[in-house]
């Protein structure tokens, strides 16, 4: 099984080790990267990074189970669960089948900045082994839908 994961939003790609959260930085959820969102566009639509079914959907995070198996988590900001949905708009529903690029959540990273929570967005292959994601995109600027990384099950 392998996944081609696309950028769910525009911004600068970071290594998970640079995410200010021990769970993501330690790859305890899985391997992946993070995106520091672009701040010059106002509200951003966070799009499905793969095609599949929305397995879990919260205002601050969602998991898509890919059509070939394997799930990808997009977490919109760090500790943003504490915002209880304020500042986020759901654009899809849990259980929906989506294509890569379909909008799932809308938020404004500038508004998240004002709450004191980091707006950085980890994009992680659930339950994958640490360092199992291959990418040459660290520190690159990406547009929504750009190739972000490849992952293949060992």
């Amino acid at each position: 099984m392998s996944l081609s994961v696309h950028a769910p939003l525009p911004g600068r790609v970071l290594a998970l080790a640079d995410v200010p959260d021990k769970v993501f930085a330690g790859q305890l959820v899985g391997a992946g990267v993070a995106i520091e969102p672009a701040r010059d566009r106002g509200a951003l639509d966070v799009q499905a990074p793969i095609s599949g079914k929305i397995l879990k959907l919260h205002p601050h995070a969602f998991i898509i189970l890919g059509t070939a198996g394997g799930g990808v988590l997009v977490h919109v900001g760090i500790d943003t669960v504490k915002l209880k949905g304020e500042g986020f708009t759901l654009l899809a529903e849990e259980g929906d089948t989506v294509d890569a690029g379909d909008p799932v959540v809308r938020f404004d990273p500038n508004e998240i900045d004002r709450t004191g929570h980091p707006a950085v967005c980890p994009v992680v292959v659930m339950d994958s082994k640490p360092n199992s994601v291959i990418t040459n995109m660290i520190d690159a600027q990406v547009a929504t839908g750009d190739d972000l990384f490849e992952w293949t099950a060992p």
Side-chain angles (χ1 to χ4, degrees):
M1 171 180 44
S2 65
L3 292 171
S4 294
V5 178
H6 303 278
L9 66 159
R12 186 171 67 94
V13 179
L14 304 174
L16 282 181
D18 295 330
V19 172
D21 179 277
K22 291 179 183 177
V23 171
F24 289 110
Q27 301 185 47
L28 301 179
V29 178
V33 299
I35 298 176
E36 185 64 45
R39 300 293 201 289
D40 60 347
R41 302 165 200 206
L44 300 174
D45 286 353
V46 183
Q47 299 181 356
I50 61 172
S51 297
K53 181 178 179 179
I54 300 176
L55 190 62
K56 287 287 181 190
L57 177 60
H58 301 283
H60 66 282
F62 59 90
I63 298 171
I64 297 179
L65 181 61
T67 52
V72 175
L73 164 71
V74 178
H75 204 281
V76 185
I78 300 300
D79 289 333
T80 47
V81 65
K82 295 175 182 171
L83 301 176
K84 300 180 179 176
E86 190 168 329
F88 300 93
T89 302
L90 297 179
L91 305 173
E93 294 185 18
E94 193 169 287
D96 283 356
T97 299
V98 293
D99 291 323
D102 285 350
V104 180
V105 173
R106 180 175 297 139
F107 83 113
D108 186 334
N110 296 305
E111 294 296 322
I112 299 302
D113 289 343
R114 286 190 256 286
T115 69
H117 297 287
V120 63
C121 300
V123 182
V124 173
V125 179
M126 298 292 298
D127 302 322
S128 59
K129 293 186 178 191
N131 303 313
S132 61
V133 161
I134 298 170
T135 185
N136 61 357
M137 299 301 288
I138 302 300
D139 289 327
Q141 293 288 330
V142 291
T144 305
D146 283 354
D147 292 338
L148 191 57
F149 63 79
E150 297 285 330
W151 177 83
T152 301

